[in-house]
Amino acid sequence: MKVKAGMAALTLSLLVTACGGQDGGSASGDTGAKKEEKPKDPYTMVIFTAGVSEKEFNERFRDTLKAKFPHVAIEYITSGKGQTIADLVASKKIPDIIRTDVPSLQKDYLDYKIQYDMSELVKKYKYDTSRFNKVFIDEIVDAGGTAALYGLPVPPYFPQATYYNKDLFDKFGVAYPKDGMTWDELYELAKKMTRIDGGTVYRGFSANPINSLRDNVLSLPILDPNADGLADSGKWSTLFQNLLRFYQIPNNTIEKTIGDEDKAFSKGNVALMTNQHNIYLVIPPEVNWDLVSYPKFKDGPNLMPQRGPAYWSITNTSKHKDEAFEMIMAMLSDESQLADSKRGIPTTLNSPEIAKVLGQSDPVYSKKNMNAINFYKPANYTPKRKQGQITVQGTAQQNLVGNALIEVAQGKKDINTALREVDEKLKKELELENAKSK
């Protein structure tokens, strides 16, 4: 779902940050030590991303990189027909820098055997990786399965929050939700806000079924990391029950599809929505919304569910690994991430100073309670399958649990049946993947 109009400039966020290094030492992304002057002979650096236009890249990166690396010609490639990563590998035109992410790391990076462990360059340049949120560094290391560092985390990541329609709360004279609420408190508020008024049904609650389950505070994976099938069905039942009670409130009927439920809040007749803070979410301007922290379980951890960021990675075929690393340092500098944070793009840095300016320069976010995003620390990532284990693509996994929730909420199945079928479908997918590998 999309959460805010007029955000064309911010769609650049998937490209990480604006460039521009600092001279403040390793804590800000620089080497912290003098290096030998690099030869200034001209060469071309090839950068590849998926889903990010060249226009976006130029606006966020090219000028700064050109100023810092005037002798380097940057060839930017975005994935498209005839120029996917598979096409580039087949034609032996492998990029120097690739924007990777955890869900596609295996398929679009490791399987092509183009991975490069950046630990060597981190040591050489005395680069301080502790400047990043530890959760994000640990996840990419775990996902790689070999203890190697295959990338550095780039903004944005996607934290969960609770959105609310201020006009509806005003209309019915109900106090706004607050940061720090529990699921039980949110449930009571949803019951109070669900009603029929003047022939119009006003729903108290909606949620994005996929990210509500996938990005859970328990860090519970869908596919068991150590066995074939659904991980811990008992805990999955708890997550399902927590959400399903909202859809059992009279007149708070879930939509027919995941996509429809995701868009329900934007229609203006839903009081509360749990969803990501995501600059691609575009809530129409006529919906007068604000946000508070994501609800917590009464006895659960004080953490915020989140989907992790993308990563800048280097390929092992690059002839310019040092220069690629220097460019990545520039794109992840404190200065760049501060500018992005002000735009509403959550930083990947372990920096309260940068986090607290979230959205301050944006015409919409600057009027919202963006502190809700920083109210809790990010929850840990979900455990990954070990290197060499057959797995199921993340999109397939999340669709299975998302659609299962829809079916149970619509009364088509009970929770136990739905989860048993998810387990069976995961096993079947693993069999298919195993057959492909032989």
Side-chain angles (χ1 to χ4, degrees), residues 134-304:
K134 187 175 183 296
V135 169
F136 303 146
I137 292 293
D138 288 350
E139 182 167 20
I140 189 68
V141 171
D142 192 10
T146 62
L149 180 65
Y150 288 136
L152 292 175
V154 305
Y157 77 100
F158 302 97
Q160 293 278 354
T162 303
Y163 294 80
Y164 66 97
N165 186 320
K166 297 174 71 173
D167 288 345
L168 293 187
F169 279 85
D170 292 341
K171 177 181 177 68
F172 298 122
V174 179
Y176 297 154
K178 299 178 180 179
D179 290 327
M181 294 183 70
T182 65
W183 277 107
D184 291 342
E185 291 171 327
L186 194 72
Y187 174 68
E188 294 301 321
L189 196 55
K191 286 198 297 184
K192 189 178 296 186
M193 291 300 295
T194 301
R195 61 184 71 195
I196 298 177
D197 185 82
T200 299
V201 176
Y202 293 95
R203 290 181 55 189
F205 174 86
S206 71
N208 179 302
I210 284 180
N211 65 46
S212 295
L213 294 169
R214 180 196 64 205
D215 307 330
N216 61 80
V217 75
L218 303 180
S219 301
L220 178 66
I222 300 171
L223 179 62
D224 194 312
N226 301 309
D228 291 352
L230 181 68
D232 202 327
S233 59
K235 288 183 179 179
W236 272 110
S237 179
T238 297
L239 292 176
F240 267 56
Q241 289 171 13
N242 179 58
L243 289 174
L244 287 170
R245 58 175 167 165
F246 288 86
Y247 298 115
Q248 292 166 351
I249 298 171
N251 296 312
N252 193 54
T253 305
I254 199 169
E255 299 290 341
K256 293 181 179 180
T257 68
I258 291 174
D260 289 340
E261 178 65 9
D262 190 47
K263 297 180 180 69
F265 184 81
S266 290
K267 296 178 181 178
N269 292 338
V270 178
L272 296 159
M273 171 183 70
T274 55
N275 211 330
Q276 295 173 338
H277 165 59
N278 181 344
I279 59 172
Y280 286 103
L281 277 169
V282 181
I283 296 176
E286 57 269 22
V287 177
N288 182 20
W289 63 275
D290 207 335
L291 70 169
V292 295
S293 63
Y294 196 75
K296 66 180 293 292
F297 288 106
K298 182 179 179 181
D299 299 318
N302 293 327
L303 297 172
M304 172 192 58

